Amino acid sequence: MATKWGILSASKISHDFVLALETLSVEDHKVVAVAAKDKSRAKDFADNFKIPSYYGSYEELGNDSNVDVVYIGALNHQHYSLTKLMLESGKHVLCEKPFCINAKQLDELIKLSKTKQLFLMEAMWSRFTPAYQKVVEEVQNGTIGTVLHVQANFGIQISNIERIWKKEVGGGSILDLGVYTLHLIDTILGPGKPVSIESKGTLNRYGTDENMSAILEYLEGKIAVISSHTKVEMDNSAYIHGTKGTIKIHQPFHASKEVTVNTTKFTFEQPVTRKPTVFPSSVQLRYEIDHVRHCLKRGLIESPVVTLNNSYTVQEIMDRLRNQIGVHFVEDNDSSM
């Protein structure tokens, strides 16, 4: 039977998610419902993708017995409450990055998913792309020897976008862009945590971070250097340096289709969606979508690739980075939950 998906939020990333899903077998995946705060938006989304059910409230989606798993494509500050709502409604959940605003929120969701025995995963799609799979394979095979240094930048000019500059929706470069650099670092140098973190950043007048740069030190002398920036375009490639060579993940590293291992370049062709995606290369969301189906078929409540511990470690590091450069959200207060 096909995995029956519910889409929570008629957002741009939800649009791309369904386009990517359409490139997979209809025998394996089917979108059966969509919900948005504005019912007319839900209806337009449903009409666009021929989705049979649409709702003007998220509670209705949670109560739809035809839905197996819910994809949450809402704004950052809503991830915690909406994931909690779906888990309490008995739904498996795939939630967009960043998983939550802070580790405190995520800890509660992890405990709830285990209590309910429901699948829960952060939608860190990069980790499932063919490029990342190739990188992990080469690192594990020892092709570049012992990895001692990882560098990743993610800088694009998005500081004028409301969801980026606005504090109330969980804006800032760390949660929106830095999360990708940290998941790459966790993929290569994890699952252990850094032994030290040193960061600097610049805040806008609203108190969110326009940029952040950090050095993370791991055991055995391993170093990661990362930057996130919302005001400049950077070389968004990533470099993994080992004692026997280097792997380059070509830009944009989080959605790359090219990897160079020492002097050999590998290119990964992608399917074409029936119409253009909003975000470049997001057809590659298809790989995490298929992964969720395989996990559900096996009765798993967490992914063996992006584990809940992986996401929690990244969330903790983001908390540390925000604290060091002075970004504070109301969700960080004990009374906010």
Side-chain angles (χ1 to χ4, degrees):
M1 292 179 62
T3 299
K4 292 177 290 187
W5 290 86
I7 307 298
L8 193 158
S9 181
S11 61
K12 292 177 181 178
I13 191 61
S14 294
H15 168 275
D16 284 5
F17 183 89
V18 180
L19 283 177
L21 184 146
E22 289 179 346
T23 67
L24 299 166
S25 169
V26 295
E27 296 178 354
D28 291 342
H29 299 275
K30 183 178 181 181
V31 180
V32 298
V34 59
K37 285 193 216 176
D38 182 344
K39 193 170 184 178
S40 64
R41 287 193 68 208
K43 183 181 186 304
D44 290 344
F45 195 98
D47 290 344
N48 185 17
F49 292 105
K50 297 180 172 58
I51 300 170
S53 299
Y54 60 91
Y55 303 110
S57 75
Y58 301 136
E59 288 80 7
E60 289 176 284
L61 181 66
N63 291 331
D64 187 335
S65 60
N66 197 34
V67 173
D68 297 323
V69 55
V70 172
Y71 168 74
I72 297 178
L75 292 172
N76 294 352
H77 71 299
Q78 299 173 299
H79 290 178
Y80 162 75
S81 61
L82 294 177
T83 298
K84 184 177 180 180
L85 175 64
M86 291 301 111
L87 289 173
E88 289 176 337
S89 299
K91 305 302 183 191
H92 304 294
V93 175
L94 174 66
C95 180
E96 257 310 325
K97 62 78 198 168
F99 221 148
C100 292
I101 293 296
N102 57 38
K104 178 177 58 175
Q105 289 184 334
L106 182 53
D107 180 61
E108 183 178 334
L109 295 181
I110 291 171
K111 288 175 180 174
L112 181 59
S113 73
K114 291 180 178 179
T115 299
K116 295 277 191 178
Q117 286 294 289
L118 290 167
F119 181 82
L120 177 63
M121 189 181 98
E122 182 179 15
M124 183 43 62
W125 57 296
S126 302
R127 284 192 161 189
F128 302 95
T129 64
Y132 265 54
Q133 296 300 304
K134 181 63 177 176
V135 170
V136 170
E137 175 189 330
E138 296 292 346
V139 169
Q140 290 180 344
N141 288 345
T143 305
I144 61 168
T146 302
V147 174
L148 294 177
H149 191 278
V150 181
Q151 179 180 339
N153 300 325
F154 200 167
I156 52 179
Q157 293 179 319
I158 55 174
S159 62
N160 62 327
I161 298 175
E162 186 178 40
R163 68 176 176 82
I164 299 299
W165 60 256
K166 194 170 185 179
K167 197 170 189 178
E168 290 80 4
V169 299
S173 76
I174 295 172
L175 292 185
D176 200 78
L177 305 175
V179 64
Y180 287 108
T181 67
L182 291 170
H183 265 283
L184 173 63
I185 302 309
D186 185 70
T187 300
I188 305 302
L189 300 181
K193 299 179 181 181
V195 294
S196 73
I197 300 171
E198 297 291 337
S199 64
K200 295 290 183 180
T202 304
L203 309 189
N204 63 18
R205 60 194 177 96
Y206 305 100
T208 54
D209 52 295
E210 292 183 338
N211 61 78
M212 175 277 303
S213 294
I215 299 175
L216 292 76
E217 180 186 359
Y218 287 76
L219 293 174
E220 301 174 342
K222 299 177 180 181
I223 296 289
V225 180
I226 61 171
S227 291
S228 57
H229 214 299
T230 63
K231 299 193 80 171
V232 300
E233 295 281 339
M234 304 182 78
D235 175 2
N236 295 323
S237 305
Y239 299 87
I240 302 164
H241 301 287
T243 54
K244 296 181 180 179
T246 296
I247 295 174
K248 176 182 179 180
I249 310 176
H250 294 252
Q251 67 173 336
F253 77 88
H254 76 292
S256 182
K257 293 181 281 189
E258 291 185 324
V259 171
T260 298
V261 182
N262 291 325
T263 58
T264 305
K265 180 183 283 189
F266 300 89
T267 301
F268 307 95
E269 297 300 326
Q270 301 300 326
V272 178
T273 52
R274 66 176 172 88
K275 63 179 182 178
T277 55
V278 176
F279 303 105
S281 300
S282 57
V283 66
Q284 295 193 84
L285 291 164
R286 70 196 304 268
Y287 302 110
E288 71 174 2
I289 294 169
D290 227 18
H291 177 75
V292 171
R293 171 173 168 80
H294 292 310
C295 289
L296 294 179
K297 286 178 66 179
R298 292 168 57 191
L300 303 179
I301 63 168
E302 71 174 298
S303 164
V305 178
V306 181
T307 68
L308 295 173
N309 184 62
N310 291 141
S311 290
Y312 188 77
T313 296
V314 168
Q315 197 82 55
E316 279 190 315
I317 295 172
M318 291 194 295
D319 286 358
R320 287 276 302 279
L321 294 172
R322 287 196 298 108
N323 184 61
Q324 286 184 2
I325 67 176
V327 179
H328 181 85
F329 295 114
V330 294
E331 291 86 354
D332 298 324
N333 300 329
D334 290 337
S335 60
S336 67
M337 290 173 52

